[in-house]
Amino acid sequence: MHKPIKKVVIVGGGTAGWMTAALLKKVLSSVIEIELVESEDVGRIGVGEATIPPIRDFNDVLGVNNAEFLRETKATIKLAIKFENWQKIGSEYFHTFGAAGKTIAFCPFHHFWLRANQSGYQTNLWDYDLNYLCAIANKYSPLQTQNPLLAIPHAYHFDASLYANFLRKYSEKRGVKRTEGFINHVSLNAETGFVEKLHLKNDAIIEGDFFIDCSGQRSLLIHKALGVGYEDWSHWLPCDRAIAAPSERLTNTLPYTRSIAHSAGWQWRIP
Ligand SMILES: Cc1cc2nc3c(=O)[nH]c(=O)nc-3n(C[C@H](O)[C@H](O)[C@H](O)COP(=O)(O)OP(=O)(O)OC[C@H]3O[C@@H](n4cnc5c(N)ncnc54)[C@H](O)[C@@H]3O)c2cc1C
């Protein structure tokens, strides 16, 4: 017989941990108790983060104040990703979060654009993509519109560690309990094999009905305790190292991420 879940324990307080805590608390409110365990000795990844538009849905579900979010996470607007030097040195293209033109009668816009071109009406497809036009003009406006032609789908660049702090504040205010402590050992239930208890360095024991592993690359529950392992994709992904470095501040903050190909890897530049 399954026991009802009354207490959820989240292992880790990086972006994954605090996003999980905030969302569960928002959705399940007082139905469950939530405890999050993290260790300042281990720390977070916490680099500059380039997100994609669903981050806004996430913030909307939480009901966070957007101005507060932008301020506290030092966020900037992201309209697109600009790929540079990928096809050949000097080549570039934008992957925008918007779209060129509008689908009419189930027919994507580029068909109309191609037809117009064949008929002698020569235009650039990008001229119909508002995100692209805003990105290259370094502009953005929070438009309130139902018209998809005028919408500017966007995401944010922000500091991942500040976002975790922001959501920590949100979650604790709503009753999520945070425990500071290094997890030494995880014990499993002898019968079910499920995670049962966390044993902290200071000898404290944390029990719960449902555990969520947000311990990042350490994978304390999924890998270490449960031995699930992972699929090795290194044959498809030859780049297996990342170096994070602060870059020079530009006079005008760009509203897009740059992805720049190099002879030995690629560079992600996040405003
Ligand atoms: C250079 C670089 C660039 C990146 N760029 C992007 C990007 O542009 N966009 C994007 O979406 N993602 C990006 N990522 C990935 C993203 O930053 C990470 O996947 C994400 O921040 C990881 O968050 P996390 O919460 O899973 O893990 P972490 O931030 O590693 O948090 C792990 C948590 O587990 C806790 N923990 C671990 N072990 C223990 C223990 N024994 N006891 C107690 N607590 C423990 C830690 O205290 C910490 O709170 C990038 C990553 C890197 C390295």
Side-chain angles (χ1 to χ4, degrees), residues 96-111:
T96 74
F97 291 146
K102 190 183 172 197
T103 294
I104 304 163
F106 302 111
C107 188
F109 177 77
H110 64 271
H111 294 291

Side-chain angles (χ1 to χ4, degrees), residues 197-214:
K197 289 174 194 163
L198 308 177
H199 302 261
L200 306 193
K201 201 172 165 186
N202 63 5
D203 292 333
I205 292 179
I206 295 175
E207 297 182 70
D209 303 313
F210 192 80
F211 290 78
I212 302 180
D213 190 347
C214 296

Side-chain angles (χ1 to χ4, degrees), residues 31 64 70 73 83 105 134-135 156 173 193 208 211 239 243 261-262 264:
V31 181
V64 301
L70 290 169
T73 62
F83 290 87
C134 287
Y156 306 105
K173 216 165 125 196
F211 290 78
C239 292
I243 301 167
H262 292 284

Side-chain angles (χ1 to χ4, degrees), residues 47-198:
V47 290
E49 204 92 316
T51 62
I52 50 174
I55 192 78
R56 290 171 52 224
D57 299 332
F58 184 84
N59 282 351
D60 284 350
V61 171
L62 297 185
V64 301
N65 176 300
N66 209 39
E68 209 177 297
F69 156 77
L70 290 169
R71 200 169 47 241
E72 291 198 19
T73 62
K74 299 199 170 163
T76 63
I77 301 294
K78 177 179 174 186
L79 302 172
I81 304 164
K82 184 185 182 193
F83 290 87
E84 299 173 31
N85 299 341
W86 283 88
Q87 287 144 330
K88 57 180 195 300
I89 302 293
S91 70
E92 59 176 54
Y93 67 93
F94 275 83
H95 166 88
T96 74
F97 291 146
K102 190 183 172 197
T103 294
I104 304 163
F106 302 111
C107 188
F109 177 77
H110 64 271
H111 294 291
F112 295 99
W113 176 79
L114 278 172
R115 187 79 178 87
N117 266 273
Q118 284 161 2
S119 311
Y121 185 70
Q122 303 282 329
T123 57
N124 185 343
L125 184 64
W126 291 110
D127 291 343
Y128 301 91
D129 186 326
L130 196 51
N131 271 57
Y132 170 78
L133 296 173
C134 287
I136 56 164
N138 211 17
K139 293 202 184 303
Y140 162 77
S141 171
L143 296 176
Q144 301 285 342
T145 173
Q146 297 298 319
N147 182 345
L149 272 182
L150 291 178
I152 308 183
H154 62 279
Y156 306 105
H157 306 107
F158 56 60
D159 180 322
S161 205
L162 293 181
Y163 189 51
N165 287 348
F166 178 74
L167 294 179
R168 173 181 165 186
K169 224 193 302 174
Y170 174 100
S171 307
E172 287 189 305
K173 216 165 125 196
R174 287 160 179 80
V176 171
K177 181 180 171 195
R178 174 188 180 272
T179 299
E180 167 64 37
F182 184 86
I183 300 162
N184 258 342
H185 173 68
V186 176
S187 57
L188 307 181
N189 182 293
E191 241 170 69
T192 61
F194 294 160
V195 174
E196 198 170 51
K197 289 174 194 163
L198 308 177

Side-chain angles (χ1 to χ4, degrees), residues 11-18 36-52 78 160 181-184 200 214-220 242-245 257 268 270:
V11 173
T15 39
W18 284 113
L36 183 148
V37 189
E38 66 177 320
S39 165
E40 271 166 20
D41 291 343
V42 181
R44 303 166 176 150
I45 284 196
V47 290
E49 204 92 316
T51 62
I52 50 174
K78 177 179 174 186
F182 184 86
I183 300 162
N184 258 342
L200 306 193
C214 296
S215 61
Q217 291 175 357
R218 283 170 188 80
S219 196
L220 290 183
I243 301 167
T257 313
W268 196 224
I270 304 172

